[in-house]
Amino acid sequence: MSVRTVSQLQKGEKAVIRSFSDRLMSLKLLEMGCVPGCEVRLDAVAPLGDPICINVGGCYSLSLRLNEASTIEIE
Amino acid sequence: MKQENIKIALVGNPNAGKSTLFNALTGLRQKTGNFPGVTVEKKSGTFRLVGGSGQPDRDVTVVDLPGTYSVYPKSADEGVVMDILANPKHPDYPDAVIVVVDASNLQRNLLLFTEINDLGLPTILALNMLDVAASMKLTVNAVQLAMQLNVPVVKINARTGEGVPILQQAVSTLVDKKEKPSVKYFYVPKGNEPALIEEVKSLHQLDNDYVALQYVCQHDNFSFLAQPVRAKLDGLIEKYEFDETGFLAEETIARYKTIKPIVDKAVKSEGISEQPLWTRKLDKILLHPFWGYVTFAIILMVIFQAIFAWASYPMDWIDENTAALIGWTKEVLPAGVLNDLLTDGIMAGIGGVIIFIPQIAILFGLVSLLEESGYMARVMVIMDKVMRKFGLNGRSVVPLISGVACAVPAIMTTRSISSRHERLLTILVTPIMSCSARLPIYSILIALIIPSTKVLGIFNMQGLVLFGLYFLGLAGALVSAWILSLFIKRTEPGYFMLEMPTYKLPRWGHVGFMMYDSVKSFVLEAGKIILAISIILWVLSSYGPSDHMEVAEKKVVMSMSSASAEERGAAVASARLENSYAGNFGRFIEPAIRPLGYDWKIGIALLASFAAREVFVGTMATIYSISGDSEDVLTVKQRLVQEKNDQGGPMYTPAVCYSLLIFYVFAMMCMSTIAVVYRETHGWKWPLIQLGYLMVLAYVSAFAVYQLMS
């Protein structure tokens, strides 16, 4: 089974960040508080299916594009 | 005893309340918003530290630096932060830094704090948004935090001003410390890096490891390093096989590892923390597939209604009063060249500027209201996918909406778009959005050719055409972005990643200041140009080569000896204008604009409005020699209706009017916009490409419209 990513989360589903598949993107994500081990939850999907809004560590809401979310691998 | 001024800088994540604290500290109001990157321009202010026990009073200068998530910049405005903090010779280099952190999101906020601390600058941590943290059932122990971080920590509430005097006192205590304490680094590099850092330190006489590391990582962003110096650093990177991306990821993860136990000790959580309930409820509606767009459409309609309907009352009032004032001045002062210059040139020019004040104030007030409340971030989310289809970014929505008022501030807001490619496209197409300066042109031409009839019982036909022109501007902007994106190659992936702030009640004082500030900069910046053009135009149309004008005047007087004095006066003015410098130029460019249906008189107005579109109606008024109230649309309109072309038919046929309308939708007739694009893109390449592209677009579409309709 291939690795699941944040872009495949269902609405309301929670997951823990494991690693990143894109090095450049991971820098930005790390700065925004998406650290391996941190719990995220899919909160909302924009009307056209992209971008999505995730809750990061229960702290705040982050909006990102699907292609950005697909670089975040989850457990 | 320190006599000189103390300088401090405010640093912090976007949405941490940095700009609000700036206002609370200095009392100087400025623009604050809820979406990342709104604090783009440098804002500075001062507060007074009252001395005591032999100390004199001192002034502290506060600089509000752009919000950023780390010291490594991701967009143009974030680059400012390190360009100042890594350069002790910079005029804004601070004696101390206040790092503002959002207590409800401590872990992520502390990342930036540890980086700033490692730069070796005296640092104070201002713990803000404790009320939000409390609503998320989080309590933060400030004393524990101060002990762990080894810096002063001050609890504040930037919105209410609570804790601000204590923060000011902490600044004073910190800068008065005799010796600089040695830096306690939160991150210590391993492997090859220490050797690399040592070499950079000795090369640039630096005493701080982390500053040296910044020289390595971002020397291309440092304006204070010359090209050969940068090349040398590139050489060092190769020598030590320094892998920047890998290193940065490692550094950030290591920092979080250090931060985590600190946060765990200082923050107590009771139950599951969660964003405030009303934010989640509002998001359900505002991000809804259907209601989200409906809400956005209604908000846009309200903005339009405000700019075009509500603003018309104060605008009419300004119009009447400037006209009255000009008439009065004309009568009171002795007649002559000076009187003409003052009334027809300068006062008419100023009148043309101040008439836009209501529209600009209303638009900027509404836009800042949307930013303040946190709604703008949601607009970016629901619009991102649509904008991406055209090569733009969800963040491009703000410049495009602001472009309806004026392209100059709109282009400045593009600095928050981190992708250079998407930012450039946004800059290039924003001027196609119909700005408020086009409105007088639209209104007069529409009034000329469109009957004021009702359509479907509720819509006014003129209003519909006006809306159509605005829609054409938006469509033109989006399609142009798509076409340009085919030619301008993307060099890096576009980011969207956007923090969604919680919804907040707007602070009315800030909205009011925002309106005041935008009006002030409009009147000063655009006003200068419009004023200058008015004077130049007056001179060019009042004087002509040798005695051509006098000869023409004599001819008219002779041939019209039987006509009334008023008619003769108008004909004389017309003949003089035709033989003035401006008239000569109009005649010169006439062949080029003939295919669009324009004559030399329109040519003069086109030429004059190259500097600023606002000038068009005023120029038409001057050209058609209207005596008295030159800004009154009705009189200009009446004169245009009577204007005859060469064949004796009416000059302003629907074909000519539509051709002119379309021309003004696309043409880039604004020197201020060209200047701001030059400044934002650092060169003449893009403003010239943009000018050329839009001129061709305007010319071709106006040509097509005229040829199809006549």
Side-chain angles (χ1 to χ4, degrees):
Chain A
M1 209 184 102
S2 65
V3 190
R4 280 192 83 206
T5 67
V6 168
S7 66
Q8 292 156 321
L9 283 176
Q10 299 296 311
K11 221 171 180 173
E13 191 187 343
K14 287 179 186 173
V16 174
I17 297 176
R18 193 175 68 183
S19 57
F20 305 98
S21 56
D22 182 290
R23 294 177 83 203
L24 270 177
M25 202 70 87
S26 74
L27 290 182
K28 182 74 187 159
L29 286 163
L30 283 168
E31 280 174 10
M32 300 296 288
C34 297
V35 194
C38 172
E39 191 181 74
V40 293
R41 185 189 63 211
L42 182 64
D43 271 356
V45 178
L48 296 172
D50 187 15
I52 57 171
C53 298
I54 59 170
N55 185 288
V56 181
C59 289
Y60 81 108
S61 179
L62 172 70
S63 173
L64 69 176
R65 291 176 177 171
L66 279 182
N67 67 331
E68 294 165 346
S70 68
T71 68
I72 311 175
E73 296 170 350
I74 50 176
E75 285 172 4
Chain B
M1 210 188 292
K2 263 191 159 180
Q3 284 293 341
E4 75 268 34
N5 267 356
I6 302 168
K7 279 180 286 184
I8 60 171
L10 290 185
V11 179
N13 284 184
N15 302 311
K18 200 169 49 62
S19 301
T20 318
L21 174 61
F22 174 73
N23 289 328
L25 272 174
T26 62
L28 195 146
R29 301 271 160 212
Q30 57 124 25
K31 179 184 175 183
T32 49
N34 257 331
F35 66 97
V38 77
T39 330
V40 162
E41 279 171 296
K42 178 188 139 187
K43 302 271 181 187
S44 65
T46 57
F47 67 84
R48 179 150 280 225
L49 267 181
V50 181
S53 60
Q55 274 261 33
D57 287 1
R58 289 170 300 174
D59 280 333
V60 179
T61 307
V62 189
V63 177
D64 187 15
L65 294 178
T68 178
Y69 292 101
S70 84
V71 293
Y72 302 100
K74 298 291 182 291
S75 66
D77 51 343
E78 290 176 15
V80 176
V81 178
M82 277 310 283
D83 202 35
I84 292 173
L85 296 186
N87 179 14
K89 292 199 183 73
H90 195 285
D92 290 319
Y93 187 78
D95 299 305
V97 178
I98 296 177
V99 181
V100 189
V101 303
D102 173 355
S104 72
N105 194 355
L106 203 53
Q107 175 164 305
R108 196 199 67 200
N109 276 259
L110 284 183
L111 174 72
L112 178 65
F113 166 80
T114 64
E115 290 174 342
I116 298 289
N117 177 85
D118 286 5
L119 291 171
L121 285 152
T123 308
I124 298 174
L125 192 136
L127 200 53
N128 194 21
M129 303 208 172
L130 286 153
D131 47 346
V132 181
S135 76
M136 291 166 64
K137 299 199 176 71
L138 297 170
T139 40
V140 184
N141 186 336
V143 179
Q144 178 68 246
L145 204 58
M147 272 160 49
Q148 303 233 25
L149 298 173
N150 204 21
V151 293
V153 174
V154 182
K155 285 183 175 186
I156 59 159
N157 184 332
R159 282 188 154 231
T160 62
E162 218 175 297
V164 171
I166 304 172
L167 186 63
Q168 292 175 335
Q169 212 45 58
V171 169
S172 141
T173 316
L174 191 67
V175 292
D176 286 342
K177 267 193 187 156
K178 292 283 178 298
E179 75 264 36
K180 234 169 120 183
S182 63
V183 190
K184 176 182 160 267
Y185 293 106
F186 283 94
Y187 170 70
V188 183
K190 297 180 201 70
N192 270 347
E193 277 86 45
L196 171 60
I197 288 169
E198 282 313 315
E199 189 157 350
V200 175
K201 273 169 82 177
S202 65
L203 200 67
H204 293 277
Q205 275 117 48
L206 300 169
D207 55 7
N208 180 290
D209 289 3
Y210 200 55
V211 173
L213 198 55
Q214 298 312 311
Y215 271 62
V216 176
C217 291
Q218 42 177 323
H219 50 266
D220 287 333
N221 300 327
F222 287 167
S223 61
F224 54 93
L225 294 183
Q227 197 48 50
V229 180
R230 294 180 188 182
K232 214 168 187 177
L233 285 161
D234 281 330
L236 282 179
I237 287 176
E238 241 165 75
K239 181 179 161 194
Y240 286 93
E241 295 172 342
F242 178 73
D243 161 30
E244 193 182 319
T245 314
F247 168 76
L248 292 185
E250 195 181 305
E251 182 200 332
T252 309
I253 291 174
R255 282 185 186 277
Y256 276 123
K257 271 191 186 139
T258 319
I259 291 166
K260 185 145 196 320
I262 298 176
V263 174
D264 285 346
K265 260 189 205 155
V267 181
K268 256 204 224 121
S269 169
E270 296 153 31
I272 307 148
S273 63
E274 186 61 82
Q275 276 210 310
L277 188 66
W278 32 280
T279 290
R280 281 179 286 152
K281 279 194 172 160
L282 270 173
D283 271 345
K284 279 225 167 71
I285 303 168
L286 298 176
L287 296 174
H288 189 272
F290 178 72
W291 295 114
Y293 287 115
V294 170
T295 319
F296 185 42
I298 291 173
I299 288 173
L300 280 187
M301 272 157 66
V302 170
I303 293 180
F304 269 73
Q305 182 72 15
I307 301 177
F308 300 122
W310 305 344
S312 66
Y313 301 107
M315 288 173 84
D316 289 345
W317 184 84
I318 293 173
D319 198 17
E320 277 164 29
N321 282 286
T322 36
L325 189 66
I326 290 174
W328 180 79
T329 314
K330 236 184 178 133
E331 270 171 35
V332 168
L333 293 179
V337 178
L338 268 179
N339 185 333
D340 287 350
L341 174 63
L342 184 67
T343 54
D344 294 343
I346 298 174
M347 286 178 74
I350 294 176
V353 177
I354 59 173
I355 193 151
F356 290 112
I357 289 179
Q359 281 188 332
I360 298 218
I362 290 177
L363 187 102
F364 278 85
L366 290 175
V367 167
S368 80
L369 213 79
L370 295 183
E371 289 172 3
E372 282 268 321
S373 64
Y375 180 63
M376 209 54 121
R378 274 73 186 181
V379 173
M380 294 177 191
V381 170
I382 65 171
M383 293 305 288
D384 182 60
K385 194 167 184 190
V386 181
M387 300 311 264
R388 230 186 308 162
K389 292 236 187 317
F390 299 100
L392 300 171
N393 188 298
R395 288 181 171 85
S396 310
V397 173
V398 178
L400 290 182
I401 294 178
S402 311
V404 175
C406 178
V408 174
I411 285 172
M412 280 158 57
T413 64
T414 61
R415 286 186 210 168
S416 65
I417 303 175
S418 53
S419 151
R420 285 194 50 215
H421 181 262
E422 291 167 340
R423 175 167 180 237
L424 181 61
L425 284 180
T426 311
I427 290 176
L428 292 181
V429 303
T430 295
I432 308 179
M433 297 298 289
S434 283
C435 65
S436 55
R438 286 162 168 112
L439 192 60
I441 308 173
Y442 290 170
S443 351
I444 192 168
L445 292 172
I446 287 177
L448 211 56
I449 46 169
I450 311 287
S452 179
T453 47
K454 287 260 188 276
V455 183
L456 298 174
I458 43 166
F459 298 107
N460 181 303
M461 190 61 203
Q462 294 185 337
L464 279 184
V465 172
L466 186 67
F467 185 79
L469 290 171
Y470 275 84
F471 182 78
L472 186 65
L474 173 66
L478 293 179
V479 172
S480 300
W482 180 74
I483 295 171
L484 289 167
S485 71
L486 299 179
F487 292 99
I488 304 169
K489 280 280 155 275
R490 191 178 273 275
T491 49
E492 58 200 305
Y495 284 115
F496 180 67
M497 256 178 262
L498 179 73
E499 179 177 351
M500 306 282 281
T502 53
Y503 290 103
K504 294 178 184 77
L505 278 178
R507 284 149 300 169
W508 300 105
H510 288 247
V511 176
F513 176 75
M514 187 50 221
M515 292 166 77
Y516 163 77
D517 205 40
S518 58
V519 165
K520 193 177 95 183
S521 66
F522 170 76
V523 170
L524 293 181
E525 307 240 331
K528 265 187 286 186
I529 295 175
I530 297 169
L531 189 59
I533 293 293
S534 310
I535 296 172
I536 292 170
L537 184 77
W538 179 84
V539 171
L540 287 182
S541 43
S542 301
Y543 297 92
S546 55
D547 62 347
H548 289 188
M549 287 170 80
E550 283 66 36
V551 173
E553 181 178 346
K554 269 187 199 138
K555 253 193 218 161
V556 172
V557 173
M558 300 241 296
S559 68
M560 293 185 71
S561 51
S562 58
S564 72
E566 208 171 284
E567 267 179 67
R568 201 166 56 216
V572 165
S574 203
R576 285 182 63 94
L577 177 74
E578 192 171 349
N579 286 282
S580 67
Y581 288 110
N584 276 316
F585 190 87
R587 285 263 182 231
F588 174 72
I589 62 163
E590 197 175 354
I593 54 173
R594 261 281 160 224
L596 310 185
Y598 313 153
D599 65 356
W600 64 272
K601 291 179 184 171
I602 300 180
I604 299 175
L606 280 185
L607 164 77
S609 64
F610 238 101
R613 302 173 182 96
E614 299 88 310
V615 181
F616 183 82
V617 174
T619 314
M620 296 294 261
T622 314
I623 292 171
Y624 291 123
S625 55
I626 289 160
S627 47
D629 180 6
S630 65
E631 287 289 323
D632 193 319
V633 170
L634 259 185
T635 41
V636 180
K637 183 190 159 190
Q638 286 160 354
R639 190 66 189 81
L640 294 185
V641 171
Q642 290 159 15
E643 183 69 12
K644 298 276 183 283
N645 63 15
D646 301 345
Q647 283 83 44
M651 177 67 212
Y652 285 88
T653 59
V656 170
C657 290
Y658 273 113
S659 165
L660 265 177
L661 282 172
I662 300 299
F663 185 85
Y664 273 99
V665 167
F666 293 121
M668 185 162 166
M669 312 278 266
C670 180
M671 291 212 293
S672 319
T673 308
I674 297 176
V676 77
V677 174
Y678 166 75
R679 206 172 69 205
E680 295 297 314
T681 60
H682 308 292
W684 283 113
K685 181 183 165 193
W686 292 111
L688 290 178
I689 288 176
Q690 184 179 32
L691 181 66
Y693 168 76
L694 292 179
M695 277 304 152
V696 170
L697 185 64
Y699 190 91
V700 170
S701 1
F703 175 78
V705 165
Y706 179 70
Q707 296 299 333
L708 283 175
M709 291 189 67
S710 59

